[in-house]
mmCIF file of all heavy atoms in Angstrom:
data_model
loop_
_atom_site.group_PDB
_atom_site.id
_atom_site.type_symbol
_atom_site.label_atom_id
_atom_site.label_comp_id
_atom_site.label_asym_id
_atom_site.label_seq_id
_atom_site.Cartn_x
_atom_site.Cartn_y
_atom_site.Cartn_z
ATOM 1 N N ALA A 702 115.489 58.845 121.488
ATOM 2 C CA ALA A 702 115.109 59.336 122.817
ATOM 3 C C ALA A 702 113.630 59.428 123.110
ATOM 4 O O ALA A 702 113.210 59.732 124.223
ATOM 5 C CB ALA A 702 115.734 60.709 123.052
ATOM 6 N N LYS A 703 112.823 59.041 122.100
ATOM 7 C CA LYS A 703 111.309 59.198 122.150
ATOM 8 C C LYS A 703 110.910 60.625 122.605
ATOM 9 O O LYS A 703 110.011 60.811 123.353
ATOM 10 C CB LYS A 703 110.836 58.177 123.183
ATOM 11 C CG LYS A 703 111.267 56.764 122.977
ATOM 12 C CD LYS A 703 110.842 56.262 121.604
ATOM 13 C CE LYS A 703 111.294 54.742 121.404
ATOM 14 N NZ LYS A 703 111.023 54.293 120.039
ATOM 15 N N GLU A 704 111.617 61.600 121.979
ATOM 16 C CA GLU A 704 111.397 63.011 122.316
ATOM 17 C C GLU A 704 110.714 63.709 121.143
ATOM 18 O O GLU A 704 111.021 63.453 119.985
ATOM 19 C CB GLU A 704 112.702 63.736 122.607
ATOM 20 C CG GLU A 704 113.331 63.386 123.953
ATOM 21 C CD GLU A 704 114.632 64.219 124.089
ATOM 22 O OE1 GLU A 704 115.175 64.731 123.069
ATOM 23 O OE2 GLU A 704 115.089 64.351 125.218
ATOM 24 N N THR A 705 109.928 64.715 121.482
ATOM 25 C CA THR A 705 109.488 65.711 120.527
ATOM 26 C C THR A 705 110.639 66.705 120.326
ATOM 27 O O THR A 705 111.222 67.194 121.278
ATOM 28 C CB THR A 705 108.251 66.454 120.975
ATOM 29 O OG1 THR A 705 107.191 65.570 121.233
ATOM 30 C CG2 THR A 705 107.828 67.515 119.987
ATOM 31 N N GLN A 706 111.036 66.953 119.054
ATOM 32 C CA GLN A 706 111.996 67.869 118.754
ATOM 33 C C GLN A 706 111.422 69.155 118.242
ATOM 34 O O GLN A 706 110.612 69.143 117.317
ATOM 35 C CB GLN A 706 112.969 67.287 117.696
ATOM 36 C CG GLN A 706 113.523 65.914 118.074
ATOM 37 C CD GLN A 706 114.413 66.005 119.340
ATOM 38 O OE1 GLN A 706 115.399 66.701 119.336
ATOM 39 N NE2 GLN A 706 114.086 65.125 120.276
ATOM 40 N N ILE A 707 111.764 70.287 118.823
ATOM 41 C CA ILE A 707 111.187 71.619 118.444
ATOM 42 C C ILE A 707 112.321 72.479 117.959
ATOM 43 O O ILE A 707 113.358 72.634 118.573
ATOM 44 C CB ILE A 707 110.569 72.212 119.732
ATOM 45 C CG1 ILE A 707 109.621 71.263 120.393
ATOM 46 C CG2 ILE A 707 109.812 73.524 119.355
ATOM 47 C CD1 ILE A 707 109.052 71.693 121.704
ATOM 48 N N PHE A 708 112.086 73.164 116.779
ATOM 49 C CA PHE A 708 113.113 74.041 116.263
ATOM 50 C C PHE A 708 112.486 75.126 115.486
ATOM 51 O O PHE A 708 111.243 75.095 115.122
ATOM 52 C CB PHE A 708 114.111 73.269 115.376
ATOM 53 C CG PHE A 708 113.492 72.301 114.457
ATOM 54 C CD1 PHE A 708 113.325 72.644 113.083
ATOM 55 C CD2 PHE A 708 113.145 70.999 114.882
ATOM 56 C CE1 PHE A 708 112.783 71.784 112.210
ATOM 57 C CE2 PHE A 708 112.564 70.100 113.916
ATOM 58 C CZ PHE A 708 112.403 70.470 112.605
ATOM 59 N N ILE A 709 113.257 76.163 115.114
ATOM 60 C CA ILE A 709 112.721 77.328 114.458
ATOM 61 C C ILE A 709 113.717 77.786 113.331
ATOM 62 O O ILE A 709 114.845 77.267 113.258
ATOM 63 C CB ILE A 709 112.524 78.537 115.433
ATOM 64 C CG1 ILE A 709 113.793 78.881 116.186
ATOM 65 C CG2 ILE A 709 111.397 78.209 116.387
ATOM 66 C CD1 ILE A 709 113.640 80.017 117.204
ATOM 67 N N GLU A 710 113.275 78.747 112.600
ATOM 68 C CA GLU A 710 114.069 79.287 111.487
ATOM 69 C C GLU A 710 113.732 80.761 111.337
ATOM 70 O O GLU A 710 112.636 81.203 111.712
ATOM 71 C CB GLU A 710 113.827 78.513 110.184
ATOM 72 C CG GLU A 710 114.648 79.044 109.006
ATOM 73 C CD GLU A 710 116.116 79.072 109.251
ATOM 74 O OE1 GLU A 710 116.605 79.979 109.936
ATOM 75 O OE2 GLU A 710 116.860 78.250 108.621
ATOM 76 N N THR A 711 114.648 81.526 110.819
ATOM 77 C CA THR A 711 114.381 82.896 110.443
ATOM 78 C C THR A 711 113.161 82.888 109.484
ATOM 79 O O THR A 711 113.172 82.112 108.515
ATOM 80 C CB THR A 711 115.564 83.580 109.790
ATOM 81 O OG1 THR A 711 116.693 83.528 110.731
ATOM 82 C CG2 THR A 711 115.305 85.017 109.410
ATOM 83 N N PRO A 712 112.166 83.693 109.773
ATOM 84 C CA PRO A 712 110.893 83.553 108.975
ATOM 85 C C PRO A 712 111.007 83.568 107.411
ATOM 86 O O PRO A 712 110.287 82.846 106.767
ATOM 87 C CB PRO A 712 110.053 84.760 109.449
ATOM 88 C CG PRO A 712 110.497 84.953 110.851
ATOM 89 C CD PRO A 712 111.978 84.639 110.854
ATOM 90 N N TYR A 713 111.983 84.295 106.856
ATOM 91 C CA TYR A 713 112.049 84.342 105.417
ATOM 92 C C TYR A 713 112.711 83.079 104.860
ATOM 93 O O TYR A 713 112.764 82.909 103.665
ATOM 94 C CB TYR A 713 112.744 85.582 104.912
ATOM 95 C CG TYR A 713 114.205 85.702 105.321
ATOM 96 C CD1 TYR A 713 115.178 85.113 104.560
ATOM 97 C CD2 TYR A 713 114.617 86.477 106.403
ATOM 98 C CE1 TYR A 713 116.593 85.244 104.907
ATOM 99 C CE2 TYR A 713 115.925 86.589 106.736
ATOM 100 C CZ TYR A 713 116.867 86.034 106.038
ATOM 101 O OH TYR A 713 118.198 86.170 106.365
ATOM 102 N N ARG A 714 113.192 82.156 105.763
ATOM 103 C CA ARG A 714 113.725 80.847 105.311
ATOM 104 C C ARG A 714 112.805 79.695 105.631
ATOM 105 O O ARG A 714 113.216 78.499 105.404
ATOM 106 C CB ARG A 714 115.145 80.673 105.846
ATOM 107 C CG ARG A 714 116.177 81.517 105.208
ATOM 108 C CD ARG A 714 117.643 81.015 105.519
ATOM 109 N NE ARG A 714 117.964 81.198 106.942
ATOM 110 C CZ ARG A 714 118.628 82.243 107.434
ATOM 111 N NH1 ARG A 714 119.099 83.161 106.578
ATOM 112 N NH2 ARG A 714 118.924 82.336 108.713
ATOM 113 N N ASN A 715 111.662 80.023 106.108
ATOM 114 C CA ASN A 715 110.744 78.877 106.548
ATOM 115 C C ASN A 715 110.388 77.906 105.477
ATOM 116 O O ASN A 715 110.445 76.667 105.739
ATOM 117 C CB ASN A 715 109.401 79.520 107.065
ATOM 118 C CG ASN A 715 109.484 80.023 108.462
ATOM 119 O OD1 ASN A 715 110.317 79.599 109.288
ATOM 120 N ND2 ASN A 715 108.614 80.984 108.805
ATOM 121 N N MET A 716 110.136 78.367 104.264
ATOM 122 C CA MET A 716 109.659 77.449 103.158
ATOM 123 C C MET A 716 110.875 76.531 102.752
ATOM 124 O O MET A 716 110.608 75.410 102.451
ATOM 125 C CB MET A 716 109.136 78.239 102.020
ATOM 126 C CG MET A 716 107.878 79.004 102.314
ATOM 127 S SD MET A 716 106.526 78.048 103.042
ATOM 128 C CE MET A 716 106.152 76.931 101.725
ATOM 129 N N HIS A 717 112.064 77.091 102.744
ATOM 130 C CA HIS A 717 113.244 76.253 102.449
ATOM 131 C C HIS A 717 113.421 75.160 103.478
ATOM 132 O O HIS A 717 113.742 74.003 103.127
ATOM 133 C CB HIS A 717 114.487 77.093 102.355
ATOM 134 C CG HIS A 717 114.468 78.177 101.279
ATOM 135 N ND1 HIS A 717 114.399 77.841 99.951
ATOM 136 C CD2 HIS A 717 114.557 79.514 101.359
ATOM 137 C CE1 HIS A 717 114.415 78.911 99.220
ATOM 138 N NE2 HIS A 717 114.495 79.945 100.053
ATOM 139 N N LEU A 718 113.199 75.522 104.705
ATOM 140 C CA LEU A 718 113.363 74.512 105.772
ATOM 141 C C LEU A 718 112.277 73.467 105.662
ATOM 142 O O LEU A 718 112.516 72.239 105.805
ATOM 143 C CB LEU A 718 113.282 75.173 107.184
ATOM 144 C CG LEU A 718 113.246 74.243 108.407
ATOM 145 C CD1 LEU A 718 114.457 73.329 108.418
ATOM 146 C CD2 LEU A 718 113.144 75.103 109.667
ATOM 147 N N LEU A 719 111.075 73.859 105.417
ATOM 148 C CA LEU A 719 109.942 72.898 105.279
ATOM 149 C C LEU A 719 110.224 71.944 104.136
ATOM 150 O O LEU A 719 109.982 70.756 104.301
ATOM 151 C CB LEU A 719 108.596 73.664 105.038
ATOM 152 C CG LEU A 719 107.368 72.818 104.822
ATOM 153 C CD1 LEU A 719 107.130 71.851 105.960
ATOM 154 C CD2 LEU A 719 106.154 73.678 104.615
ATOM 155 N N GLU A 720 110.694 72.469 103.006
ATOM 156 C CA GLU A 720 110.981 71.612 101.880
ATOM 157 C C GLU A 720 112.038 70.624 102.225
ATOM 158 O O GLU A 720 111.942 69.374 101.839
ATOM 159 C CB GLU A 720 111.440 72.444 100.709
ATOM 160 C CG GLU A 720 110.327 73.330 100.087
ATOM 161 C CD GLU A 720 110.880 74.374 99.124
ATOM 162 O OE1 GLU A 720 112.103 74.387 98.916
ATOM 163 O OE2 GLU A 720 110.089 75.228 98.643
ATOM 164 N N ASP A 721 113.058 70.962 102.988
ATOM 165 C CA ASP A 721 114.102 70.091 103.350
ATOM 166 C C ASP A 721 113.652 69.045 104.385
ATOM 167 O O ASP A 721 114.068 67.929 104.384
ATOM 168 C CB ASP A 721 115.330 70.846 103.885
ATOM 169 C CG ASP A 721 116.131 71.416 102.727
ATOM 170 O OD1 ASP A 721 116.013 70.973 101.596
ATOM 171 O OD2 ASP A 721 116.977 72.351 103.070
ATOM 172 N N ILE A 722 112.735 69.471 105.237
ATOM 173 C CA ILE A 722 112.223 68.487 106.263
ATOM 174 C C ILE A 722 111.441 67.377 105.482
ATOM 175 O O ILE A 722 111.645 66.173 105.757
ATOM 176 C CB ILE A 722 111.212 69.185 107.217
ATOM 177 C CG1 ILE A 722 112.004 70.135 108.128
ATOM 178 C CG2 ILE A 722 110.511 68.119 108.065
ATOM 179 C CD1 ILE A 722 111.062 71.024 108.979
ATOM 180 N N LEU A 723 110.615 67.759 104.498
ATOM 181 C CA LEU A 723 109.775 66.758 103.800
ATOM 182 C C LEU A 723 110.644 65.916 102.903
ATOM 183 O O LEU A 723 110.258 64.720 102.719
ATOM 184 C CB LEU A 723 108.727 67.525 102.956
ATOM 185 C CG LEU A 723 107.710 68.363 103.759
ATOM 186 C CD1 LEU A 723 106.731 68.958 102.730
ATOM 187 C CD2 LEU A 723 107.015 67.521 104.768
ATOM 188 N N ALA A 724 111.824 66.370 102.445
ATOM 189 C CA ALA A 724 112.651 65.628 101.584
ATOM 190 C C ALA A 724 113.666 64.739 102.320
ATOM 191 O O ALA A 724 114.274 63.804 101.727
ATOM 192 C CB ALA A 724 113.418 66.566 100.699
ATOM 193 N N ASN A 725 113.811 64.933 103.655
ATOM 194 C CA ASN A 725 114.854 64.251 104.353
ATOM 195 C C ASN A 725 114.351 63.508 105.661
ATOM 196 O O ASN A 725 115.200 63.188 106.515
ATOM 197 C CB ASN A 725 115.945 65.220 104.807
ATOM 198 C CG ASN A 725 116.725 65.733 103.602
ATOM 199 O OD1 ASN A 725 117.669 65.062 103.131
ATOM 200 N ND2 ASN A 725 116.350 66.861 103.106
ATOM 201 N N THR A 726 113.114 63.219 105.764
ATOM 202 C CA THR A 726 112.533 62.484 106.893
ATOM 203 C C THR A 726 111.702 61.366 106.406
ATOM 204 O O THR A 726 111.274 61.270 105.247
ATOM 205 C CB THR A 726 111.695 63.360 107.805
ATOM 206 O OG1 THR A 726 110.709 64.075 107.036
ATOM 207 C CG2 THR A 726 112.581 64.431 108.549
ATOM 208 N N ASN A 727 111.446 60.378 107.260
ATOM 209 C CA ASN A 727 110.685 59.226 106.918
ATOM 210 C C ASN A 727 109.183 59.533 106.760
ATOM 211 O O ASN A 727 108.695 60.434 107.422
ATOM 212 C CB ASN A 727 110.850 58.131 108.006
ATOM 213 C CG ASN A 727 112.321 57.623 108.031
ATOM 214 O OD1 ASN A 727 112.888 57.340 106.976
ATOM 215 N ND2 ASN A 727 112.866 57.449 109.203
ATOM 216 N N PRO A 728 108.575 58.792 105.905
ATOM 217 C CA PRO A 728 107.093 59.085 105.602
ATOM 218 C C PRO A 728 106.220 59.130 106.812
ATOM 219 O O PRO A 728 105.244 59.909 106.925
ATOM 220 C CB PRO A 728 106.687 57.976 104.637
ATOM 221 C CG PRO A 728 107.996 57.540 104.011
ATOM 222 C CD PRO A 728 109.026 57.673 105.094
ATOM 223 N N ASP A 729 106.465 58.249 107.808
ATOM 224 C CA ASP A 729 105.602 58.175 108.955
ATOM 225 C C ASP A 729 105.979 59.096 110.133
ATOM 226 O O ASP A 729 105.293 59.156 111.102
ATOM 227 C CB ASP A 729 105.552 56.733 109.511
ATOM 228 C CG ASP A 729 104.909 55.772 108.508
ATOM 229 O OD1 ASP A 729 103.910 56.224 107.874
ATOM 230 O OD2 ASP A 729 105.303 54.564 108.401
ATOM 231 N N THR A 730 107.113 59.821 109.978
ATOM 232 C CA THR A 730 107.470 60.790 110.979
ATOM 233 C C THR A 730 106.419 61.898 111.043
ATOM 234 O O THR A 730 106.000 62.394 109.992
ATOM 235 C CB THR A 730 108.835 61.386 110.673
ATOM 236 O OG1 THR A 730 109.840 60.362 110.862
ATOM 237 C CG2 THR A 730 109.152 62.550 111.554
ATOM 238 N N LYS A 731 106.049 62.269 112.201
ATOM 239 C CA LYS A 731 105.044 63.372 112.412
ATOM 240 C C LYS A 731 105.686 64.733 112.400
ATOM 241 O O LYS A 731 106.745 64.910 113.016
ATOM 242 C CB LYS A 731 104.261 63.139 113.722
ATOM 243 C CG LYS A 731 103.340 61.920 113.693
ATOM 244 C CD LYS A 731 102.633 61.828 115.027
ATOM 245 C CE LYS A 731 101.745 60.534 115.033
ATOM 246 N NZ LYS A 731 101.035 60.448 116.400
ATOM 247 N N LEU A 732 105.047 65.655 111.700
ATOM 248 C CA LEU A 732 105.528 67.033 111.653
ATOM 249 C C LEU A 732 104.381 67.964 111.998
ATOM 250 O O LEU A 732 103.326 67.851 111.444
ATOM 251 C CB LEU A 732 106.017 67.382 110.230
ATOM 252 C CG LEU A 732 106.389 68.834 109.990
ATOM 253 C CD1 LEU A 732 107.557 69.250 110.856
ATOM 254 C CD2 LEU A 732 106.647 69.089 108.538
#
């Protein structure tokens, strides 16, 4: 869709989410 995707997490799970983003997205995807 050529869209920016915006999402959130409960603050105490932020690091788990970040780790999974880095492990499951393409190298050139912007975060």
